[in-house]
Structure formats: C-alpha cells, structure tokens
Amino acid sequence: MLNTFPHLLVLGFFAPMLLRVAVACLFFCAAYAAHKNRAAVARLRFPVIGTASWAGNFTALVYAVIGLMLFFGGYTQIAAIAGAVAAFKAIVLGKNFDALFPYSRSTYVFVLIICLSLIISGAGALALDLPL
C-alpha cells in the first residue's frame, strides 16, 4: 500500500526522540509528586525494609535521574531499562503504594511499552548516545 505522505518518512529518526522526551516529562512529574508526597511515603510500610523516611526522596531522585537521562539521550537504553522496571513496579504495586506512583495503571502500561520500544530503537535524534 502506498503512503499518503512519503516525504515524511525521512523524519522517522525523530520518532524515538519524541517518545523519549514524552516519557522523560512523565518521569519529571512523577519525581515532583514523589518529592511532594514524601511525608506520606515516610508513613508507608514496605515489605522488605519496613518504614523508611528516606523512601520519598530516594524515589524522587531515581525518577529525576531517569528523566534526565531520557531527556538528554544519555545512556538511553540503560535509562529505558530502568524506566521499564519502574513502570512494571508501578503496575504491580501501584494500588498499595499510591503515594509513590502518581499515575494510573494504564499510563504506566504505556510508559512500559514506550521504554521497551526505546530499548530496541535507540535514542533517536538529538541525543548524546551514538550508535556503534
């Protein structure tokens, strides 16, 4: 089947960049929400470590680092793996620890799918990663 706009196919290298920046913005907002809800997170009881007053700030830091790596395209595949792990944790544990995971499960499913596609496709345009 013929493409309606065949001249736009040369811009396909920018598609991973758009996905990367969109997921980075989601992680930035999640980092802000985790930092804002750090008092509620301090009262949560985790399965292995029990209560942890540092869990909210640690989660905000992890989300911010993942967001920065994805936004600037540095070590994108590693950041996408970490983002996929965080999204999977949110899908599984989101109901019990809602202060750490501000989005709905369907949003985290999309984040997981986008992160898995970034692992395969790479960083795209305007990234610090260079394909070998």
Side-chain angles (χ1 to χ4, degrees), residues 10-11 21 29-30 32 38 49-51 72 78 80 83-84 92-93 116 127:
V10 297
L11 300 175
V21 170
C29 292
Y32 175 71
R38 66 186 181 275
I49 60 173
T51 57
F72 290 112
I78 295 170
V92 173
L93 301 173
L116 291 177

Side-chain angles (χ1 to χ4, degrees), residues 25-37 41 59-60 63 86 90-91 93-95 97-108 111:
C25 290
L26 283 173
F27 275 109
F28 288 145
C29 292
Y32 175 71
H35 179 70
K36 188 174 71 171
N37 295 331
V41 173
T59 303
Y63 285 162
I91 292 169
L93 301 173
K95 291 283 185 185
F97 304 107
D98 56 348
L100 288 175
F101 307 115
Y103 303 120
S104 65
R105 279 190 179 177
S106 59
T107 303
Y108 283 113
V111 169

Side-chain angles (χ1 to χ4, degrees), residues 7-123:
H7 298 293
L8 293 179
L9 294 177
V10 297
L11 300 175
F13 191 59
F14 288 97
M17 182 202 66
L18 294 173
L19 294 173
R20 183 171 48 85
V21 170
V23 172
C25 290
L26 283 173
F27 275 109
F28 288 145
C29 292
Y32 175 71
H35 179 70
K36 188 174 71 171
N37 295 331
R38 66 186 181 275
V41 173
R43 291 188 299 270
L44 290 175
R45 182 150 182 83
F46 298 100
V48 176
I49 60 173
T51 57
S53 61
W54 50 267
N57 287 330
F58 180 74
T59 303
L61 178 69
V62 169
Y63 285 162
V65 168
I66 292 171
L68 282 172
M69 289 173 69
L70 287 172
F71 187 79
F72 290 112
Y75 299 106
T76 302
Q77 290 176 322
I78 295 170
I81 290 170
V85 168
F88 184 74
K89 277 180 65 173
I91 292 169
V92 173
L93 301 173
K95 291 283 185 185
N96 297 333
F97 304 107
D98 56 348
L100 288 175
F101 307 115
Y103 303 120
S104 65
R105 279 190 179 177
S106 59
T107 303
Y108 283 113
V109 168
F110 284 126
V111 169
L112 177 66
I113 291 169
I114 291 172
C115 285
L116 291 177
S117 72
L118 285 173
I119 294 169
I120 296 168
S121 67

